[in-house]
Amino acid sequence: MITVLSGGVGAARYLVGQVRATPPEQVAAVVNVADDMTLHGLRVSPDLDTVVYTLAGVVNPATGWGRDGETWNALDELRACGLDAWFALGDRDLGAHLFRTSLLARGLPLSEITARMAAARGLKCRVLPVSDDRIETRVTLASGDRTGAEVGFQEYFVKLGHEVAVSKVRFDGIEDARPGPGVLEAIEEAEAVVIAPSNPVVSIDPVLAVPGVREAVAARRDRSVAVSPIVAGAALKGPTARMLKELGSEADVASIARRYRDVVSALVIDEADAGRAGEVRAAGVRPVVAPAVMSSPEAAAALARRTVAAVIPPP
Ligand code: FO1
Protein backbone atom coordinates (compact mmCIF):
# COMPACT_ATOMS: atom_id res chain seq x y z
CA MET A 1 0.00 0.00 0.00
CA ILE A 2 1.21 3.50 -0.88
CA THR A 3 -0.60 6.10 1.23
CA VAL A 4 -0.69 9.69 0.00
CA LEU A 5 -1.61 12.56 2.33
CA SER A 6 -3.50 14.87 0.01
CA GLY A 7 -4.98 18.29 -0.51
CA GLY A 8 -6.65 19.37 -3.77
CA VAL A 9 -5.26 20.06 -7.23
CA GLY A 10 -1.52 19.37 -6.65
CA ALA A 11 -2.25 16.14 -4.81
CA ALA A 12 -4.77 15.02 -7.42
CA ARG A 13 -2.17 15.44 -10.18
CA TYR A 14 0.39 13.52 -8.11
CA LEU A 15 -2.18 10.74 -7.50
CA VAL A 16 -2.76 10.38 -11.26
CA GLY A 17 0.94 9.50 -11.42
CA GLN A 18 0.81 7.25 -8.37
CA VAL A 19 -1.97 5.05 -9.79
CA ARG A 20 0.07 4.71 -13.00
CA ALA A 21 3.23 3.84 -11.09
CA THR A 22 1.58 1.42 -8.63
CA PRO A 23 -1.44 -0.88 -9.04
CA PRO A 24 -4.34 1.44 -8.07
CA GLU A 25 -5.74 -1.13 -5.64
CA GLN A 26 -2.58 -0.52 -3.62
CA VAL A 27 -2.97 3.25 -3.38
CA ALA A 28 -4.83 5.10 -0.62
CA ALA A 29 -5.38 8.88 -0.64
CA VAL A 30 -5.97 10.40 2.80
CA VAL A 31 -7.66 13.69 1.91
CA ASN A 32 -8.06 17.04 3.66
CA VAL A 33 -11.61 17.99 4.62
CA ALA A 34 -10.94 21.31 6.37
CA ASP A 35 -11.77 23.27 3.17
CA ASP A 36 -15.30 21.87 3.32
CA MET A 37 -18.29 24.12 3.92
CA THR A 38 -22.07 24.20 3.72
CA LEU A 39 -23.40 26.43 0.93
CA HIS A 40 -27.03 26.79 -0.23
CA GLY A 41 -27.72 23.90 2.17
CA LEU A 42 -25.26 21.68 0.30
CA ARG A 43 -22.18 20.08 1.77
CA VAL A 44 -19.18 21.00 -0.36
CA SER A 45 -15.97 18.91 -0.10
CA PRO A 46 -13.63 20.49 -2.66
CA ASP A 47 -10.50 18.41 -2.07
CA LEU A 48 -12.39 15.09 -2.08
CA ASP A 49 -14.18 16.05 -5.29
CA THR A 50 -10.99 17.31 -6.93
CA VAL A 51 -9.25 14.02 -6.16
CA VAL A 52 -12.17 11.87 -7.36
CA TYR A 53 -12.88 13.93 -10.51
CA THR A 54 -9.19 14.07 -11.45
CA LEU A 55 -8.57 10.35 -10.96
CA ALA A 56 -11.76 9.58 -12.89
CA GLY A 57 -10.60 11.80 -15.76
CA VAL A 58 -13.66 14.08 -15.57
CA VAL A 59 -12.14 17.16 -13.93
CA ASN A 60 -12.28 20.56 -15.62
CA PRO A 61 -8.80 20.67 -17.20
CA ALA A 62 -8.71 24.47 -17.24
CA THR A 63 -9.27 24.98 -13.49
CA GLY A 64 -8.16 21.65 -11.98
CA TRP A 65 -11.40 21.60 -9.90
CA GLY A 66 -15.06 21.07 -10.83
CA ARG A 67 -16.40 19.01 -13.73
CA ASP A 68 -15.41 19.06 -17.38
CA GLY A 69 -18.10 20.01 -19.91
CA GLU A 70 -19.76 22.02 -17.16
CA THR A 71 -22.76 24.35 -17.58
CA TRP A 72 -23.85 27.05 -15.13
CA ASN A 73 -27.64 27.31 -15.36
CA ALA A 74 -28.31 26.79 -11.65
CA LEU A 75 -25.71 29.41 -10.74
CA ASP A 76 -27.31 31.85 -13.19
CA GLU A 77 -30.69 31.22 -11.53
CA LEU A 78 -29.25 31.86 -8.06
CA ARG A 79 -27.79 35.13 -9.31
CA ALA A 80 -31.10 36.00 -11.00
CA CYS A 81 -32.70 35.61 -7.55
CA GLY A 82 -30.31 38.27 -6.31
CA LEU A 83 -27.86 36.00 -4.52
CA ASP A 84 -24.17 36.92 -4.41
CA ALA A 85 -23.21 33.43 -5.63
CA TRP A 86 -19.41 33.80 -5.36
CA PHE A 87 -18.66 30.07 -5.27
CA ALA A 88 -19.10 28.46 -8.68
CA LEU A 89 -21.04 25.21 -8.35
CA GLY A 90 -21.76 23.98 -11.87
CA ASP A 91 -24.81 22.00 -12.92
CA ARG A 92 -22.96 18.68 -13.13
CA ASP A 93 -21.08 19.31 -9.92
CA LEU A 94 -24.43 20.02 -8.22
CA GLY A 95 -25.38 16.38 -8.80
CA ALA A 96 -22.45 15.23 -6.68
CA HIS A 97 -23.40 17.75 -4.00
CA LEU A 98 -27.03 16.60 -3.92
CA PHE A 99 -25.81 13.01 -3.56
CA ARG A 100 -23.39 13.80 -0.72
CA THR A 101 -25.78 16.09 1.14
CA SER A 102 -28.79 13.78 0.95
CA LEU A 103 -26.80 10.78 2.20
CA LEU A 104 -25.28 12.83 5.03
CA ALA A 105 -28.85 13.82 5.98
CA ARG A 106 -29.72 10.11 6.12
CA GLY A 107 -26.88 9.63 8.61
CA LEU A 108 -24.21 8.08 6.40
CA PRO A 109 -20.65 9.14 7.25
CA LEU A 110 -18.61 11.16 4.72
CA SER A 111 -16.16 8.24 4.36
CA GLU A 112 -18.92 5.86 3.23
CA ILE A 113 -20.39 8.42 0.82
CA THR A 114 -16.95 9.19 -0.63
CA ALA A 115 -16.25 5.48 -1.12
CA ARG A 116 -19.54 5.15 -3.02
CA MET A 117 -18.77 8.19 -5.18
CA ALA A 118 -15.27 6.92 -5.97
CA ALA A 119 -16.51 3.40 -6.78
CA ALA A 120 -19.30 4.78 -8.97
CA ARG A 121 -16.61 6.60 -10.97
CA GLY A 122 -14.70 3.34 -11.38
CA LEU A 123 -11.80 4.26 -9.09
CA LYS A 124 -9.84 1.31 -7.77
CA CYS A 125 -7.75 3.24 -5.29
CA ARG A 126 -9.10 4.20 -1.88
CA VAL A 127 -10.16 7.79 -1.21
CA LEU A 128 -10.33 8.34 2.54
CA PRO A 129 -11.49 11.63 4.11
CA VAL A 130 -8.99 12.24 6.92
CA SER A 131 -11.97 12.53 9.27
CA ASP A 132 -15.75 12.09 9.25
CA ASP A 133 -15.95 14.91 11.78
CA ARG A 134 -16.35 18.59 10.91
CA ILE A 135 -13.07 20.52 10.74
CA GLU A 136 -13.12 24.05 9.41
CA THR A 137 -10.10 26.11 8.38
CA ARG A 138 -10.48 29.69 9.64
CA VAL A 139 -8.20 32.44 8.35
CA THR A 140 -7.46 35.80 10.02
CA LEU A 141 -7.06 38.58 7.45
CA ALA A 142 -4.09 40.93 7.79
CA SER A 143 -4.68 43.46 5.02
CA GLY A 144 -7.52 45.34 3.38
CA ASP A 145 -10.59 46.87 5.00
CA ARG A 146 -11.38 43.70 6.95
CA THR A 147 -8.01 43.42 8.70
CA GLY A 148 -8.36 41.37 11.87
CA ALA A 149 -11.55 39.61 10.74
CA GLU A 150 -11.63 35.81 10.75
CA VAL A 151 -13.25 34.18 7.72
CA GLY A 152 -13.84 30.65 6.44
CA PHE A 153 -11.23 29.22 4.08
CA GLN A 154 -13.36 29.41 0.92
CA GLU A 155 -14.30 33.00 1.65
CA TYR A 156 -10.56 33.84 1.81
CA PHE A 157 -9.61 31.64 -1.14
CA VAL A 158 -12.47 32.22 -3.57
CA LYS A 159 -14.50 35.28 -2.53
CA LEU A 160 -11.42 37.36 -1.68
CA GLY A 161 -9.36 35.65 -4.40
CA HIS A 162 -6.59 34.88 -1.84
CA GLU A 163 -5.26 38.37 -2.52
CA VAL A 164 -5.40 39.62 1.06
CA ALA A 165 -2.61 38.87 3.53
CA VAL A 166 -3.26 36.43 6.38
CA SER A 167 -1.88 36.51 9.92
CA LYS A 168 -3.29 33.29 11.38
CA VAL A 169 -4.77 29.98 10.30
CA ARG A 170 -6.60 27.65 12.68
CA PHE A 171 -8.62 24.48 12.27
CA ASP A 172 -11.90 24.75 14.14
CA GLY A 173 -13.02 21.42 15.60
CA ILE A 174 -9.67 19.70 15.14
CA GLU A 175 -9.19 18.79 18.83
CA ASP A 176 -12.32 16.66 18.81
CA ALA A 177 -11.90 15.19 15.32
CA ARG A 178 -11.20 11.50 15.01
CA PRO A 179 -9.34 9.90 12.10
CA GLY A 180 -11.76 8.47 9.54
CA PRO A 181 -12.21 4.72 9.10
CA GLY A 182 -9.08 3.15 7.65
CA VAL A 183 -6.92 6.29 7.92
CA LEU A 184 -4.55 5.16 10.67
CA GLU A 185 -4.36 1.64 9.22
CA ALA A 186 -3.50 3.05 5.79
CA ILE A 187 -0.57 4.91 7.37
CA GLU A 188 0.53 2.08 9.67
CA GLU A 189 0.41 -0.60 6.97
CA ALA A 190 1.83 1.45 4.09
CA GLU A 191 5.04 0.46 2.36
CA ALA A 192 5.51 4.19 1.82
CA VAL A 193 3.69 7.29 3.08
CA VAL A 194 3.87 10.25 0.69
CA ILE A 195 3.04 13.85 1.55
CA ALA A 196 1.74 15.19 -1.76
CA PRO A 197 2.91 18.55 -3.17
CA SER A 198 -0.02 20.38 -1.57
CA ASN A 199 -0.17 23.61 0.42
CA PRO A 200 1.52 22.70 3.75
CA VAL A 201 -0.44 25.32 5.71
CA VAL A 202 -4.03 24.72 4.65
CA SER A 203 -3.97 21.25 3.03
CA ILE A 204 -1.39 19.09 4.84
CA ASP A 205 -1.40 20.70 8.32
CA PRO A 206 -5.13 19.95 8.86
CA VAL A 207 -4.50 16.32 7.85
CA LEU A 208 -1.54 15.93 10.22
CA ALA A 209 -3.38 17.83 12.98
CA VAL A 210 -6.20 15.30 13.30
CA PRO A 211 -5.32 13.67 16.63
CA GLY A 212 -3.32 10.50 16.02
CA VAL A 213 -2.37 11.19 12.39
CA ARG A 214 0.89 13.09 12.94
CA GLU A 215 1.99 10.47 15.47
CA ALA A 216 1.16 7.65 13.04
CA VAL A 217 3.18 9.26 10.23
CA ALA A 218 6.08 10.09 12.57
CA ALA A 219 6.16 6.43 13.62
CA ARG A 220 6.71 5.58 9.93
CA ARG A 221 9.26 8.38 9.37
CA ASP A 222 11.76 6.02 7.70
CA ARG A 223 9.12 5.16 5.11
CA SER A 224 7.68 8.67 4.75
CA VAL A 225 8.62 11.14 2.02
CA ALA A 226 7.28 14.55 1.01
CA VAL A 227 7.23 16.13 -2.44
CA SER A 228 8.04 19.82 -2.21
CA PRO A 229 5.16 22.07 -3.31
CA ILE A 230 7.75 24.84 -3.73
CA VAL A 231 9.96 24.89 -6.82
CA ALA A 232 12.59 27.62 -7.15
CA GLY A 233 10.93 29.73 -4.46
CA ALA A 234 7.47 29.68 -6.05
CA ALA A 235 4.41 27.52 -5.58
CA LEU A 236 3.38 25.15 -8.34
CA LYS A 237 -0.17 26.48 -7.89
CA GLY A 238 -2.11 28.88 -5.68
CA PRO A 239 -1.04 31.09 -2.79
CA THR A 240 1.28 28.60 -1.02
CA ALA A 241 4.47 30.69 -1.28
CA ARG A 242 2.79 33.89 -0.15
CA MET A 243 0.97 32.19 2.74
CA LEU A 244 4.19 30.63 4.00
CA LYS A 245 5.90 34.03 4.02
CA GLU A 246 2.94 35.82 5.60
CA LEU A 247 2.91 33.26 8.40
CA GLY A 248 6.61 33.66 9.09
CA SER A 249 8.29 30.89 7.06
CA GLU A 250 10.49 31.11 4.01
CA ALA A 251 9.07 29.83 0.72
CA ASP A 252 11.92 27.49 -0.16
CA VAL A 253 12.77 23.79 0.00
CA ALA A 254 14.81 24.14 3.20
CA SER A 255 11.81 25.58 4.99
CA ILE A 256 9.63 22.71 3.69
CA ALA A 257 12.24 20.26 5.01
CA ARG A 258 12.23 21.93 8.46
CA ARG A 259 8.43 21.92 8.55
CA TYR A 260 8.18 18.19 7.78
CA ARG A 261 11.36 16.85 9.41
CA ASP A 262 9.56 15.13 12.27
CA VAL A 263 7.35 13.15 9.91
CA VAL A 264 9.45 12.44 6.80
CA SER A 265 12.97 11.13 6.22
CA ALA A 266 13.18 12.31 2.59
CA LEU A 267 12.07 15.31 0.54
CA VAL A 268 11.78 15.30 -3.23
CA ILE A 269 12.95 18.62 -4.64
CA ASP A 270 12.97 19.75 -8.23
CA GLU A 271 16.15 19.92 -10.30
CA ALA A 272 15.81 23.72 -10.15
CA ASP A 273 16.50 23.44 -6.40
CA ALA A 274 19.41 20.97 -6.66
CA GLY A 275 21.74 23.70 -5.37
CA ARG A 276 19.80 23.78 -2.08
CA ALA A 277 20.07 20.04 -1.37
CA GLY A 278 22.68 20.75 1.32
CA GLU A 279 20.23 22.94 3.25
CA VAL A 280 17.62 20.17 3.13
CA ARG A 281 20.20 17.70 4.45
CA ALA A 282 21.19 20.17 7.18
CA ALA A 283 17.53 20.17 8.28
CA GLY A 284 17.85 16.42 8.88
CA VAL A 285 15.96 15.32 5.76
CA ARG A 286 17.45 13.37 2.82
CA PRO A 287 17.10 15.39 -0.39
CA VAL A 288 16.07 13.54 -3.56
CA VAL A 289 16.47 15.61 -6.71
CA ALA A 290 13.95 14.75 -9.45
CA PRO A 291 11.82 16.60 -12.01
CA ALA A 292 8.94 17.65 -9.75
CA VAL A 293 6.84 19.69 -12.15
CA MET A 294 3.97 17.44 -13.28
CA SER A 295 3.49 18.62 -16.84
CA SER A 296 1.76 15.37 -17.92
CA PRO A 297 0.44 12.13 -16.38
CA GLU A 298 3.69 10.46 -17.53
CA ALA A 299 5.73 13.09 -15.70
CA ALA A 300 3.56 12.57 -12.61
CA ALA A 301 4.10 8.79 -12.83
CA ALA A 302 7.87 9.26 -13.11
CA LEU A 303 7.74 11.56 -10.07
CA ALA A 304 5.70 9.01 -8.11
CA ARG A 305 8.22 6.26 -8.94
CA ARG A 306 11.17 8.37 -7.78
CA THR A 307 9.27 9.47 -4.66
CA VAL A 308 8.33 5.99 -3.49
CA ALA A 309 11.77 4.59 -4.36
CA ALA A 310 13.28 7.21 -2.03
CA VAL A 311 11.96 5.36 1.03
CA ILE A 312 11.56 1.76 -0.11
CA PRO A 313 14.88 -0.05 0.18
CA PRO A 314 15.87 -1.94 -3.00
CA PRO A 315 15.19 -5.71 -2.80
N1 FO1 B 1 -12.17 27.74 -6.75
C1 FO1 B 1 -12.26 29.01 -7.20
O1 FO1 B 1 -11.24 29.69 -7.30
N2 FO1 B 1 -13.50 29.56 -7.49
C2 FO1 B 1 -14.65 28.85 -7.39
O2 FO1 B 1 -15.74 29.38 -7.67
C3 FO1 B 1 -14.56 27.48 -6.98
C4 FO1 B 1 -15.67 26.66 -6.91
C5 FO1 B 1 -15.51 25.30 -6.57
C6 FO1 B 1 -16.61 24.44 -6.59
C7 FO1 B 1 -16.44 23.10 -6.24
C8 FO1 B 1 -15.18 22.62 -5.92
O3 FO1 B 1 -15.03 21.32 -5.60
C9 FO1 B 1 -14.08 23.45 -5.90
C10 FO1 B 1 -14.23 24.81 -6.23
N3 FO1 B 1 -13.14 25.66 -6.24
C11 FO1 B 1 -13.27 26.96 -6.65
C12 FO1 B 1 -11.82 25.20 -5.84
C13 FO1 B 1 -11.63 25.20 -4.32
O4 FO1 B 1 -11.91 26.40 -3.72
C14 FO1 B 1 -10.16 24.84 -4.07
O5 FO1 B 1 -9.85 23.67 -4.78
C15 FO1 B 1 -9.76 24.49 -2.73
O6 FO1 B 1 -10.63 24.32 -1.73
C16 FO1 B 1 -8.29 24.66 -2.41
O7 FO1 B 1 -7.73 23.40 -2.26
Side-chain angles (χ1 to χ4, degrees):
M1 174 76 63
I2 308 296
T3 297
V4 182
L5 309 189
S6 305
V9 179
R13 291 192 177 142
Y14 176 84
L15 282 161
V16 166
Q18 192 67 70
V19 297
R20 287 181 164 227
T22 313
E25 298 80 1
Q26 291 169 28
V27 175
V30 172
V31 182
N32 174 40
V33 295
D35 291 5
D36 296 16
M37 66 171 169
T38 300
L39 186 72
H40 318 312
L42 299 172
R43 194 66 189 157
V44 183
S45 296
D47 286 353
L48 287 171
D49 286 346
T50 297
V51 164
V52 170
Y53 288 161
T54 304
L55 286 169
V58 300
V59 79
N60 179 335
T63 55
W65 51 264
R67 281 295 322 271
D68 60 0
E70 190 57 281
T71 55
W72 305 95
N73 295 303
L75 198 70
D76 289 345
E77 287 301 312
L78 285 171
R79 288 178 177 151
C81 292
L83 204 81
D84 172 22
W86 50 268
F87 194 77
L89 287 179
D91 299 333
R92 289 185 157 174
D93 202 16
L94 273 174
H97 288 84
L98 293 173
F99 183 79
R100 177 186 299 115
T101 307
S102 59
L103 292 193
L104 283 169
R106 276 172 38 195
L108 267 74
L110 184 62
S111 50
E112 167 66 27
I113 299 166
T114 304
R116 288 193 195 185
M117 292 170 87
R121 296 267 178 211
L123 302 195
K124 297 198 171 72
C125 67
R126 287 200 281 159
V127 181
L128 307 173
V130 66
S131 180
D132 278 335
D133 299 320
R134 295 279 167 103
I135 309 165
E136 197 189 328
T137 299
R138 309 278 305 167
V139 176
T140 303
L141 307 178
S143 68
D145 49 12
R146 293 180 67 198
T147 297
E150 190 186 62
V151 299
F153 175 75
Q154 296 299 345
E155 187 173 350
Y156 156 73
F157 193 84
V158 176
K159 190 171 185 184
L160 302 173
H162 50 74
E163 274 164 9
V164 286
V166 305
S167 58
K168 189 179 168 200
V169 173
R170 71 178 182 94
F171 310 119
D172 196 51
I174 198 89
E175 297 83 7
D176 300 323
R178 293 150 302 172
V183 166
L184 294 183
E185 293 80 356
I187 295 166
E188 288 159 6
E189 291 162 16
E191 280 175 273
V193 178
V194 177
I195 298 184
S198 297
N199 186 322
V201 180
V202 292
S203 297
I204 300 301
D205 271 5
V207 169
L208 290 172
V210 171
V213 173
R214 179 181 289 279
E215 295 75 7
V217 182
R220 305 297 318 284
R221 185 178 182 276
D222 286 356
R223 291 295 186 107
S224 297
V225 51
V227 181
S228 177
I230 296 288
V231 171
L236 291 173
K237 197 171 187 305
T240 303
R242 228 188 44 236
M243 277 190 116
L244 283 168
K245 288 186 201 154
E246 286 163 5
L247 294 168
S249 299
E250 300 299 315
D252 58 35
V253 292
S255 151
I256 300 294
R258 284 192 293 274
R259 175 177 277 272
Y260 287 149
R261 69 176 149 205
D262 293 340
V263 282
V264 303
S265 54
L267 177 68
V268 178
I269 60 175
D270 188 67
E271 288 162 329
D273 289 309
R276 309 201 67 165
E279 292 170 62
V280 172
R281 199 173 290 107
V285 176
R286 189 158 32 87
V288 176
V289 179
V293 180
M294 297 174 286
S295 47
S296 66
E298 293 75 25
L303 175 62
R305 278 189 207 98
R306 293 287 294 275
T307 300
V308 166
V311 287
I312 296 191

